Amino acid sequence: VCQVKRRKDTGENRIRPGGRRVKVRIPKLKDGGGRGQSLLTQVLDKGNFLRLGPSAALTPGKTLELRCKGTNIGWSYPSYLDTFNDSRFSIKQSDKFSQLILMVPSAADTGHYSCWVVVCDGSECGKDPDRIFTSYIYFTGDGYMHDFTSPEFITVSY
């Protein structure tokens, strides 16, 4: 009688040489882009970070500080922040991450905020399709009740 050996399915116990049984573990593959582990984080305070998901509801009036890990990072955000050269808005690049800061956000600042790793091939640069991270940020509340005497609004000119 001829016996046909059946290949064991993934995860079934297998017997190693030496007679010990072991459970075979298959490592999980990470999804690319915003579907996997996000590199887009919100700075809550010094040393405390929150990894953002597909959407987030935040309080207006409190400075928004987002970080994206990498040395060459691109950003997208509500377009009017560029159009009006908004002084509340800035982007800074450090050695390990890029930082987007929006001071005193309001409900009008609600929208998609994204970061991505920029890859260059010679003189051509573009988004790395596997490392794009997006979150739709809602600033809840009316956003019109601001203290215009606060330091965020005072600019000294010489």
Side-chain angles (χ1 to χ4, degrees):
V1 175
C2 181
Q3 269 188 332
V4 177
K5 285 191 172 183
R6 177 180 73 86
R7 184 180 171 112
K8 294 198 176 206
D9 292 331
T10 302
E12 282 190 56
N13 288 332
R14 300 199 184 196
I15 298 175
R16 279 194 174 169
R20 291 191 294 168
R21 284 186 168 258
V22 294
K23 180 100 173 171
V24 177
R25 292 186 181 167
I26 308 295
K28 293 181 181 179
L29 297 176
K30 290 183 179 179
D31 289 343
R35 295 175 301 279
Q37 183 181 11
S38 178
L39 296 182
L40 179 61
T41 57
Q42 177 190 6
V43 180
L44 300 175
D45 52 46
K46 189 172 183 167
N48 289 326
F49 303 90
L50 175 66
R51 201 167 264 136
L52 293 178
S55 65
L58 303 178
T59 306
K62 185 175 184 226
T63 298
L64 171 66
E65 189 176 332
L66 300 177
R67 286 189 183 178
C68 197
K69 291 181 185 178
T71 55
N72 196 6
I73 300 294
W75 289 92
S76 70
Y77 37 83
S79 61
Y80 79 87
L81 290 170
D82 273 338
T83 305
F84 299 112
N85 196 15
D86 200 322
S87 62
R88 303 174 305 132
F89 175 75
S90 66
I91 293 177
K92 299 175 184 175
Q93 180 68 51
S94 76
D95 293 339
K96 296 181 180 179
F97 60 86
S98 182
Q99 186 173 31
L100 179 149
I101 299 170
L102 180 59
M103 297 180 52
V104 196
S106 69
D109 297 314
T110 293
H112 285 282
Y113 290 78
S114 304
C115 68
W116 58 85
V117 175
V118 176
V119 290
C120 296
D121 182 19
S123 62
E124 296 285 320
C125 292
K127 297 178 184 180
D128 180 342
D130 294 329
R131 293 186 285 177
I132 299 172
F133 308 98
T134 300
S135 187
Y136 191 86
I137 298 178
Y138 300 91
F139 291 98
T140 58
D142 66 8
Y144 296 108
M145 306 287 256
H146 297 302
D147 176 8
F148 290 97
T149 61
S150 71
E152 287 100 325
F153 283 98
I154 297 173
T155 304
V156 177
S157 300
Y158 295 99

